[in-house]
Amino acid sequence: MSRIASVDVRDVRFPTSLELDGSDAVNVDPDYSASYVTVTTSDGETGYGLVFTCGRGNEIICAAMESYGALLTGRETDALLDDLGAASRLLIHDSQLRWLGPEKGVQQMACGGVLNALWDLKARRAGKPLWLLLAEMSPEELVAAVDFTHLRNALTEDEALDVLRRGAAGKAERIAELEANGYTAYTTTPGWLGYSDDKLVRLSREAVSDGFGMIKLKVGGDLEEDRHRMRLAREAVGPDIRIGIDANQRWEVGEAIEWVGALAEFEPYWIEEPTSTDDILGHADIRRGVAPVKVATGEAVANRIVFKQLLQAGAIDVMQIDSTRVAGTNENIANVLLAAKFGVPVCPHAGGVGLCELVQHFSFFDYAAVSGSMEDRAIEFVDHLHEHFTDPVRIERGRYLAPSRPGIGAEMHAASVDAWEFPGGSGWAEVGERAAVTGRSSS
Amino acid sequence: MSRIASVDVRDVRFPTSLELDGSDAVNVDPDYSASYVTVTTSDGETGYGLVFTCGRGNEIICAAMESYGALLTGRETDALLDDLGAASRLLIHDSQLRWLGPEKGVQQMACGGVLNALWDLKARRAGKPLWLLLAEMSPEELVAAVDFTHLRNALTEDEALDVLRRGAAGKAERIAELEANGYTAYTTTPGWLGYSDDKLVRLSREAVSDGFGMIKLKVGGDLEEDRHRMRLAREAVGPDIRIGIDANQRWEVGEAIEWVGALAEFEPYWIEEPTSTDDILGHADIRRGVAPVKVATGEAVANRIVFKQLLQAGAIDVMQIDSTRVAGTNENIANVLLAAKFGVPVCPHAGGVGLCELVQHFSFFDYAAVSGSMEDRAIEFVDHLHEHFTDPVRIERGRYLAPSRPGIGAEMHAASVDAWEFPGGSGWAEVGERAAVTGRSSS
């Protein structure tokens, strides 16, 4: 009988801070990193998961993954994979570990990474990419995978079944359409704060010629600078391309309303993370204050309970799920169901390390089997670090092509993991002294 | 010049699950534990902090404390202690570590433990217990210690100064009163779910004869059992003693309203943690649904931003700050100021390991220098594990006596730390096979 033989965790970091890729008003010098987990069965099967971080602290997620992994080791593989809802409850509601969240931050992320390695294993066994596995699960199976604890005053199991049964109509046609044409993307590649004007303009124009209908700019450092960059970007892309702006939680509530107002002449499509993503009531105030600019958030939303309230409070126009912030595929199914119930589009957050590879599956699943709509929906795309993955995203004419290989997309090349394992990998040796930016003794 | 020479972290656990002390509807088998941190300067001074956990996962807080500790090592001691607001921002807003929260869960707790060790050092240098150090700081110094980020739509620096200036009137008299008479306590000692009827009744009566005016019962396991235990407790203590009930986040929103309604005939004073503490809107609904029973929460509230919203939404009658959930003394000053601004009493959560020793300081500070009131306020007391502390709480006639020794109260006896360090301490060797309940391979 197959059992979980090991849960192996590696600390993988890339020295992206050297290039200011990924810089914004809050994340000024990220070293894009992954806490990388491999679940191996006694039969030698493997499933892969990861959690994205910004460098320092990757070791903490790794420690938490080891603690959750220990709860799985020795268990029967079939029993786990046949009921991933139970597997999720086993980890999330562990009577002692639960105190450290509950259901937030390091714990939720680490749980999600480990659970996703199980989903990867399940999808590989089925020979399907995750999105297709999910799309072909029955409404009952999907509902059984979700933890409805603390959701039921907004979404009950029965309501979720209704959503999924409605979503089943036309599913086969939509799956065929996705396999033929993929899913809309938007790109953040031009918009990092650390880029020069020339680079901003050049990358913005390239985005349009590459077929993207929307780009995104980081804002929130300096208002005059933001006005300058926003004008350059608008001139570069013309009036018909959407420009999202993203403040990475930089502002107070009133400040957000004023700042967005001062950028309104350049017609931003949405303001993303205007303030703390814990601030549900603040987002509701901001949404009222910046309309018709839309409010988007989610990459730092801790769990389904916070998303529930953002929807109940009418605080967001766009739900930006993230593939490694919450407790894995299970909780993102919950998030997609919540969005469908409230009629809010899901536009996933991506970028970082592996986030594009993972999160695309939820939009494909959403279109195939839940909302059935691609209107006002797009998956973020950033052209970073895909070369390290065995099944990298494929983008054509501003669209994600449908993932076709079995699994969730988290597997990295062994050579990449070896080279960029921190701190001992050969890549870090080459980076040499400049690697000090990530060291624990850094200030 | 004095510098931070080391930040040493130890994983200390007590096998409390063997006795079902501390058992409730969610925390069914806690091994009360502490991630214990010692900051040592190049001059040999020491400051102590800790984070309470329930056993498994203590190692994760330890890992996070080491990561934050590394940011302090080598820094000038005086510069840190002279501006603990800056020290808090240095840790909390670290550009890479921030991603792992932001400001919640493992990261916020670990940050708080390390920051509290600095506050301990500062209080020891001043020769004062923390509460008196805080009470004697100027309004400007206190405001400088607080991070107002994402608070300012509810509490600005100027409003906080106003609160503190009003609180300064009569401060000397209130300090003298606290030193003479202490502060009201309530006790949870009788109320754990794992206790027999006889033990519940006996401990409830003892609580009254010991001078407590309020006891607390855990609920949420089984309604008929709760009605039975609530009836026994009410009969044991009589009509004039308050009985708080505590569901430890067990319920959905509607379920909470129904369950509390079914206990109403026994006149519970408050319902604590009726649902997820992330659910601000849910608490607001519950408060409307269970009045005149009060709603209390806080031991798992992740940060000041969530407390802000609980107050803005009129979702709580009682704020239960916890000494090791948030980012240390700095963030608890913010919480106490928020409560004062909104006119809500602070009744701290305590118990666990060292929580009584630490949290009492905030109520003494609140009375001396902020709210100036003890009305409807009490500090939780649980009679567990105080013997391991060098300055244990002193309770007389249902009141906490004023802490008088310098520091924050987190220092443990070296022999206790050595005996109960996990997994290698001599205490764990004695517990022997039963220690398996805490082991990583536990299910």
Side-chain angles (χ1 to χ4, degrees), chain A residues 51-68:
Chain A
V51 171
F52 165 68
T53 78
C54 289
R56 277 188 297 280
N58 207 43
E59 72 280 7
I60 305 169
I61 303 280
C62 288
M65 279 181 162
E66 299 220 4
S67 302
Y68 283 113

Side-chain angles (χ1 to χ4, degrees), chain B residues 24-341:
Chain B
D24 60 49
V26 171
N27 306 296
V28 294
D29 59 351
D31 284 321
Y32 281 0
S33 302
S35 319
Y36 185 64
V37 57
T38 307
V39 171
T40 305
T41 72
S42 54
D43 292 340
E45 297 169 289
T46 49
Y48 302 88
L50 64 81
V51 171
F52 165 68
T53 78
C54 288
R56 278 187 297 281
N58 207 43
E59 72 281 6
I60 305 169
I61 303 279
C62 288
M65 279 181 162
E66 299 220 4
S67 302
Y68 283 114
L71 300 179
L72 295 182
T73 308
R75 289 183 183 269
E76 293 177 21
T77 311
D78 290 356
L80 287 171
L81 300 189
D82 287 350
D83 189 352
L84 284 169
S88 124
R89 289 188 292 275
L90 171 75
L91 303 189
I92 293 173
H93 297 299
D94 178 81
S95 62
Q96 295 187 348
L97 285 166
R98 179 173 176 74
W99 181 264
L100 304 191
E103 301 193 57
K104 57 179 65 69
V106 166
Q107 297 304 103
Q108 202 75 340
M109 295 161 84
C111 237
V114 172
L115 283 171
N116 275 345
L118 294 179
W119 280 96
D120 190 51
L121 202 49
K122 185 180 176 91
R124 285 166 187 261
R125 280 189 169 187
K128 291 174 189 168
L130 178 66
W131 71 272
L132 190 59
L133 177 82
L134 296 176
E136 293 180 354
M137 282 168 71
S138 70
E140 291 76 13
E141 288 172 316
L142 287 164
V143 163
V146 169
D147 186 351
F148 283 85
T149 306
H150 297 150
L151 280 192
R152 295 189 183 90
N153 65 328
L155 181 72
T156 64
E157 286 88 336
D158 283 345
E159 290 171 322
L161 285 173
D162 286 346
V163 167
L164 288 163
R165 285 171 186 149
R166 279 197 301 276
K171 187 163 72 174
E173 292 75 14
R174 288 194 301 278
I175 289 174
E177 184 192 336
L178 287 165
E179 289 176 331
N181 303 324
Y183 197 104
T184 48
Y186 75 89
T187 179
T188 308
T189 297
W192 304 105
L193 280 189
Y195 288 178
S196 68
D197 288 357
D198 285 352
K199 192 168 182 180
L200 165 65
V201 168
R202 176 173 55 79
L203 292 174
S204 296
R205 288 185 180 141
E206 282 178 18
V208 177
S209 63
D210 286 345
F212 290 100
M214 173 169 167
I215 65 170
K216 195 165 76 184
L217 258 61
K218 299 291 182 173
V219 298
D222 175 88
L223 178 57
E224 283 313 306
E225 180 67 16
D226 283 350
R227 285 178 49 85
H228 172 70
R229 293 170 62 256
M230 190 76 192
R231 178 179 286 115
L232 288 178
R234 178 54 77 199
E235 289 170 0
V237 302
D240 298 331
I241 300 292
R242 289 176 174 172
I243 304 179
I245 55 174
D246 180 359
N248 289 83
Q249 311 186 45
R250 188 72 169 72
W251 299 320
E252 301 297 309
V253 171
E255 190 180 16
I257 295 169
E258 289 170 22
W259 202 299
V260 174
L263 298 175
E265 65 183 285
F266 310 109
E267 297 188 30
Y269 178 64
W270 76 41
I271 173 62
E272 175 175 335
E273 288 201 321
T275 192
S276 166
T277 43
D278 296 341
D279 198 343
I280 294 146
L281 303 177
H283 276 78
D285 287 344
I286 292 167
R287 183 165 176 245
R288 283 188 289 270
V290 305
V293 178
K294 296 178 187 297
V295 170
T297 199
E299 72 185 65
V301 166
N303 57 43
R304 69 198 177 283
I305 301 159
V306 180
F307 271 129
K308 174 187 78 169
Q309 293 173 83
L310 287 166
L311 293 166
Q312 289 175 316
I316 54 173
D317 299 282
V318 176
M319 180 194 279
Q320 300 182 295
I321 61 170
D322 178 274
S323 54
T324 80
R325 175 68 66 181
V326 299
T329 296
N330 310 69
E331 193 160 27
N332 266 327
I333 298 170
N335 292 334
V336 166
L337 289 169
L338 279 167
K341 164 85 188 287

Side-chain angles (χ1 to χ4, degrees), chain B residues 9 46 93 122 135 187 226 263 349 367 382 399 415 433 438:
Chain B
V9 181
T46 49
H93 297 299
K122 185 180 176 91
T187 179
D226 283 350
L263 298 175
H349 168 253
Y367 183 66
V382 188
R399 298 176 78 85
E433 287 180 6
T438 296

Side-chain angles (χ1 to χ4, degrees), chain A residues 56-116:
Chain A
R56 277 188 297 280
N58 207 43
E59 72 280 7
I60 305 169
I61 303 280
C62 288
M65 279 181 162
E66 299 220 4
S67 302
Y68 283 113
L71 300 179
L72 295 182
T73 308
R75 290 184 183 268
E76 293 177 22
T77 311
D78 290 355
L80 286 171
L81 300 189
D82 287 349
D83 189 352
L84 284 170
S88 128
R89 289 188 293 275
L90 171 75
L91 303 189
I92 293 173
H93 297 299
D94 177 81
S95 62
Q96 295 187 347
L97 285 166
R98 179 174 175 74
W99 181 262
L100 304 191
E103 300 192 59
K104 58 180 64 69
V106 166
Q107 297 303 103
Q108 202 74 343
M109 296 161 84
C111 237
V114 172
L115 284 170
N116 276 345

Side-chain angles (χ1 to χ4, degrees), chain B residues 12 14 33-34 36 48-50 351-358 384-393 405 408-414 416:
Chain B
V12 181
F14 299 95
S33 302
Y36 185 64
Y48 302 88
L50 64 81
V353 179
L355 298 182
C356 300
E357 278 71 18
L358 270 68
H384 285 167
L385 304 170
H386 303 293
E387 66 275 19
H388 299 293
F389 288 82
T390 61
D391 186 16
V393 290
R405 291 178 55 179
I408 69 167
E411 187 184 3
M412 297 175 75
H413 292 296
S416 291

Side-chain angles (χ1 to χ4, degrees), chain A residues 2-4 39-41 44-48 77 80-81 84 115-127 133 407-408:
Chain A
S2 171
R3 293 184 179 274
I4 304 298
V39 171
T40 306
T41 71
E45 297 169 289
T46 48
Y48 302 89
T77 311
L80 286 171
L81 300 189
L84 284 170
L115 284 170
N116 276 345
L118 294 179
W119 280 97
D120 191 51
L121 202 49
K122 184 180 177 91
R124 285 166 187 262
R125 279 189 170 188
L133 177 82
I408 68 166

